[in-house]
Amino acid sequence: MTPVFTYGTLEIPEVMEAVTGQVWASAEAWAKGFAKFLLKGRIYPGMTAVQGSICSGRVYYHIDSRTLEVLDTFEDEVYTRECIEVEVAEGRSLQAYVYLIRPQDRACLTTTPWQPDEFKSKHLVRYLEACKSFHRQLMHGSHPI
């Protein structure tokens, strides 16, 4: 069981539940030395190393290997899963998986910071439906993991 740090759509607990079919214990968290930016032509962000930056997000605890496979399938091909140090409440730090933009795909990032409130107001309802559909396809075997 491993923590997973999320910083975009998956940091919204309803999205994580729609994708995985489960509710997860979680907490606000921060990754020092990273920043999140919108991906070109997409409504969600990517995270990359940026010296001096701090990326806010949410860490989900006790993620099992099956759920990691689901998340690996859900994430776009421009991401790679890596382990980084993140901070949670009271300055406590822990190692967590995160989906970073692959070095060869950094050109896919814009310079526009991702705005979660804008995403929620403009896209969340449709995005949740798409995530629920993704999960249903996984459960019925029409989307291999």
Side-chain angles (χ1 to χ4, degrees):
M1 301 262 186
T2 307
V4 174
F5 176 75
T6 60
Y7 56 83
T9 61
L10 288 173
E11 76 178 283
I12 303 167
E14 295 88 351
V15 173
M16 184 69 162
E17 180 181 355
V19 169
T20 65
Q22 297 181 58
V23 175
W24 300 95
S26 68
E28 289 183 11
W30 300 267
K32 290 183 178 179
F34 293 92
K36 57 185 166 187
F37 302 98
L38 274 174
L39 282 154
K40 292 177 183 173
R42 315 271 174 83
I43 60 172
Y44 48 85
M47 187 171 103
T48 190
V50 176
Q51 191 171 14
S53 292
I54 299 176
C55 183
S56 63
R58 175 164 297 280
V59 69
Y60 292 95
Y61 298 104
H62 313 296
I63 302 297
D64 56 48
S65 60
R66 174 82 171 134
T67 302
L68 280 175
E69 289 179 26
V70 169
L71 294 173
D72 288 348
T73 301
F74 176 74
E75 292 294 356
D76 198 302
E77 69 277 356
V78 299
Y79 298 98
T80 181
R81 178 167 38 105
E82 295 186 23
C83 196
I84 65 168
E85 184 175 295
V86 298
E87 286 190 16
V88 292
E90 296 99 34
R92 189 171 61 91
S93 64
L94 54 89
Q95 294 291 309
Y97 282 124
V98 65
Y99 291 89
L100 297 173
I101 293 296
R102 298 181 314 180
Q104 65 267 35
D105 292 312
R106 285 200 179 115
C108 292
L109 291 172
T110 67
T111 57
T112 306
W114 189 66
Q115 302 295 331
D117 290 337
E118 183 177 331
F119 171 83
K120 288 175 186 176
S121 67
K122 291 183 177 179
H123 306 289
L124 183 58
V125 172
R126 281 192 322 272
Y127 196 79
L128 281 171
E129 285 308 313
C131 291
K132 290 174 185 176
S133 176
F134 165 84
H135 183 76
R136 281 192 301 272
Q137 289 174 6
L138 279 181
M139 295 304 103
H140 291 52
S142 59
H143 198 298
I145 58 168

